[in-house]
Amino acid sequence: MLNWDHVFATRMAHMRASEIRELLKLLERPDIISFAGGIPDPALFPEEAFKAAYADIFSGDRAAAALQYSVSEGYRPLRDWLRGEMEKIGIPCSVDNIFITSGSQQALDYLGKLFLSPKDTALVTWPTYLGALQAFNAYEPNYDQLTLTGNRTPESYRAAAENLGGAVKFAYLSADFSNPTGETVDREARERLLTLAEELDIAILEDAAYQSLRYEGEAIPPILALEIAQKGSIEETRTIYCGSFSKTLAPGLRVGFVVANQTVIRKLVLMKQAADLHSSSINQIAIANVAERHFDAQVAKIRAAYGARRDAMLKALATYMPAGTTWTRPEGGMFIWVTLPEGMDGAELLARSVETEKVAFVPGQAFFADRSGANTLRLSFCCANETMIDEGIKRLGRMVQGALAAAA
Amino acid sequence: MLNWDHVFATRMAHMRASEIRELLKLLERPDIISFAGGIPDPALFPEEAFKAAYADIFSGDRAAAALQYSVSEGYRPLRDWLRGEMEKIGIPCSVDNIFITSGSQQALDYLGKLFLSPKDTALVTWPTYLGALQAFNAYEPNYDQLTLTGNRTPESYRAAAENLGGAVKFAYLSADFSNPTGETVDREARERLLTLAEELDIAILEDAAYQSLRYEGEAIPPILALEIAQKGSIEETRTIYCGSFSKTLAPGLRVGFVVANQTVIRKLVLMKQAADLHSSSINQIAIANVAERHFDAQVAKIRAAYGARRDAMLKALATYMPAGTTWTRPEGGMFIWVTLPEGMDGAELLARSVETEKVAFVPGQAFFADRSGANTLRLSFCCANETMIDEGIKRLGRMVQGALAAAA
């Protein structure tokens, strides 16, 4: 076998397989109750709607276009539909502000590519979406902790980045029901972030993957909506909104989108031309068809199902978790974030779980750019029914209880 | 509007919109005969086969898997089928040597990302596939001219790369019916390239997008097949084979593949996890279904149609082009490469064509990393029937004749 470490680009030293992924593979057995996956419940997919959409493509005169190359910007009717949706959530824009990606993971990769030279700094929350760190790592950045309390000055961010040999380029966050914590950033913190970004002259990457999945409470305007309200036009804004159909319609088609000023959109189109030409023509047509006919009903169905599972998990946590353990109370999304008593280790707990209680979750450390957070766990409540949730959390509680007793 | 040139990564200075693309947009009018597009003829798509494949997905129990997230490596039955195809062309390997991409353009992007640090050198032929240059440009390389005649020593390549501050990382080429020239690299030149790559300790990126489209002559073994024959196992090889379904089945699904040693495959899988998670689940299932049932018949159909169009274009060129103009005689693929008399300019000719003869082609200069080749043109014979080919080449010949007369 060739040893090619010296032939590979320097970036490859930053790209490592996730250790937890290997452990989680062991836990994909039928006797395991899993709260690990960040995937939607396939039982809720709008199968019939997609069946009709693909059949429609081949029964009309659109088959050739569906099978042919298409433009890098994305399918125009899908972008038209998105323009209308954006308007509803306070983001007035034109179709030229909308760019279709192969899932919102691709948006994160492209935005890393667009902004990050090696040694530049990306601001991310501690913890943040693991997939964002993986996407950005390819561009060899440094990370600094994005705090939403306003306790860091622009000057401290700027000085830290310069010390590391680069500049701050963007702040990345998921403002609604974030992966992994499930928490939502309130309106005041969003406004503070806009001020910070203005002072640093950086972009804000607003990851809105979960935004449609609210189960209670009032919607807070997207950061991009707040910025448009301040500045009068999307062309003056620095917030780049990344959306997805993966949590609402289906992830397997790989269709996501970006909404931003046209300077950014044009760069992304150029990048896509060079990187994969365009997202699947046929899938964009199918998504447009299903979105136009079924989006609101589908979102209502998912909200009802996931909302009930969230309630079940919150109830089970209150029932079974020992004192000293805390957790978030998300108003939407897919995740609850558990903080174990200081000194406990989520990865150890998971390794033990394979042997004994057979419940799966994701240890929280992987979500921290600084590898802190060993005593945290991410639980997904989406892919288990209410009985399994009760049983799984009972087992988890028993394991935490046992570990605490052993340490005492 | 924000001026963000200082916020964008340094790589963005290397990514520019193609000037010819703008000009070609003008030429997408119905009154124009186009030999410009590098796209397959949609009339030849296996529409009925794809219609049946998507219907099949939704009538069985595979709909949920088709709509769900899937593994980054790619759909296992598709990789199994490809393993069998590879064996047929002298590339014995396991499914773990096969990785599914979103079209072969994505393979080029990932391979640039895998090997190129800024200032490293990529060896490419003069001319080469424009999309490869666009993909690699994102990683800020230098280019040196790959010659297949053996007239450059390894030392001269190494010294040139070091002078520019990096190292030679790979040689990229399309060995069969290349885009843009239509030419094929003979077996001796393939063997010489393997020796050169060995001496430089670099990878060979073998772009096999057109390999199935041979209209005459004997197939030459792929470079990867020759290397496996030399070394006994794919795990010892340095050739990375990039394939595509875009020219055989349909480009709109965005499904391509890479065949290589497992060290490289594992890195690409890691990269895909970070960049877009996986290629469309549903499209991989559909491609596998259509490939298993219809691949050979479909390829035979395309060969017959494109072969006849190639013949028609070669005949028309011989009839209408003035003395001093030369062209390639491809044994397959989609393109014929025309060299005009010294001093003529393909881009000027195209601009004039909008006004007068209304025939479209691609000026060749864009395919040269050093921007030479102003007096060359790329003609595609795939998307026009034989009458249009005759008429279009007649007009082109008249224009070249006129330009020569004006210069005399």
Side-chain angles (χ1 to χ4, degrees), chain A residues 9 11 67 69 113-114 247 252, chain B residues 9 11 67 69 113 247 252:
Chain A
R11 71 177 57 81
L67 298 175
Y69 286 114
K113 202 172 184 179
L114 177 59
K247 316 305 181 197
Chain B
R11 71 177 55 82
L67 299 176
Y69 286 114
K113 200 172 184 178
K247 317 302 182 198

Side-chain angles (χ1 to χ4, degrees), chain A residues 1-12 15-18 21 25 38-42 45-47 50-51 54 58-59 63-64 66-69 73 102 105-106 109 112-118 120 129 131 134-135 138-139 169 201-203 235-238 240 246-247 250-254 261-264 266-267 270-271 273-283, chain B residues 1-12 15-18 21 25 38-42 45-47 50-51 54 58-59 63-64 66-69 73 102 105-106 109 112-118 120 129 131 134-135 138-139 169 201-203 235-238 240 246-247 250-254 261-264 266-267 270-271 273-283:
Chain A
M1 186 93 72
L2 297 166
N3 178 351
W4 262 2
D5 287 344
H6 61 292
V7 186
F8 294 135
T10 56
R11 71 177 57 81
M12 295 314 295
M15 301 188 79
R16 279 179 301 270
S18 156
R21 194 175 287 265
K25 273 189 189 162
I39 65 176
D41 184 347
F45 289 151
E47 263 188 45
F50 277 113
K51 179 180 185 168
Y54 284 99
F58 288 102
S59 67
L67 298 175
Q68 186 58 287
Y69 286 114
E73 293 83 334
S102 298
Q105 186 69 30
Q106 184 170 69
D109 176 49
K113 202 172 184 179
L114 177 59
F115 288 109
L116 298 172
S117 292
D120 278 341
Y129 170 49
Q134 289 177 325
Y139 307 103
K169 290 302 185 68
D201 192 14
I202 61 172
E235 296 309 329
E236 305 300 320
T237 60
R238 56 181 67 250
I240 300 168
S246 294
K247 316 305 181 197
L253 282 69
R254 309 310 299 128
N261 68 67
Q262 288 184 51
T263 305
V264 163
R266 276 192 292 258
K267 296 279 184 195
L270 202 58
M271 202 170 262
Q273 226 169 69
D276 68 1
L277 303 183
H278 61 85
S279 294
S280 163
S281 313
I282 189 167
N283 292 356
Chain B
M1 185 92 71
L2 297 166
N3 178 353
W4 261 2
D5 288 342
H6 61 292
V7 186
F8 294 135
T10 55
R11 71 177 55 82
M12 296 313 295
M15 304 189 77
R16 277 180 302 271
S18 155
R21 195 174 287 266
K25 273 188 189 160
I39 64 176
D41 183 348
F45 290 151
E47 263 189 47
F50 277 114
K51 178 179 185 169
Y54 284 99
F58 288 103
S59 67
L67 299 176
Q68 186 57 288
Y69 286 114
E73 291 84 335
S102 299
Q105 186 68 31
Q106 184 170 69
D109 177 48
K113 200 172 184 178
L114 176 59
F115 288 110
L116 298 171
S117 291
D120 278 342
Y129 170 48
Q134 288 177 325
Y139 307 104
K169 290 301 184 69
D201 192 14
I202 61 172
E235 296 310 328
E236 304 302 320
T237 61
R238 56 180 67 251
I240 301 168
S246 294
K247 317 302 182 198
L253 282 69
R254 309 310 300 128
N261 70 67
Q262 287 184 52
T263 306
V264 163
R266 277 193 290 258
K267 297 279 184 195
L270 201 60
M271 204 170 263
Q273 226 170 67
D276 67 2
L277 303 181
H278 61 85
S279 294
S280 163
S281 314
I282 189 167
N283 292 356

Side-chain angles (χ1 to χ4, degrees), chain B residues 25 45 49 132 142 150 183 206 230 258 349 392:
Chain B
K25 273 188 189 160
F45 290 151
N142 295 301
E183 290 173 315
E206 178 175 23
Q230 284 178 7
V258 173
L349 207 66

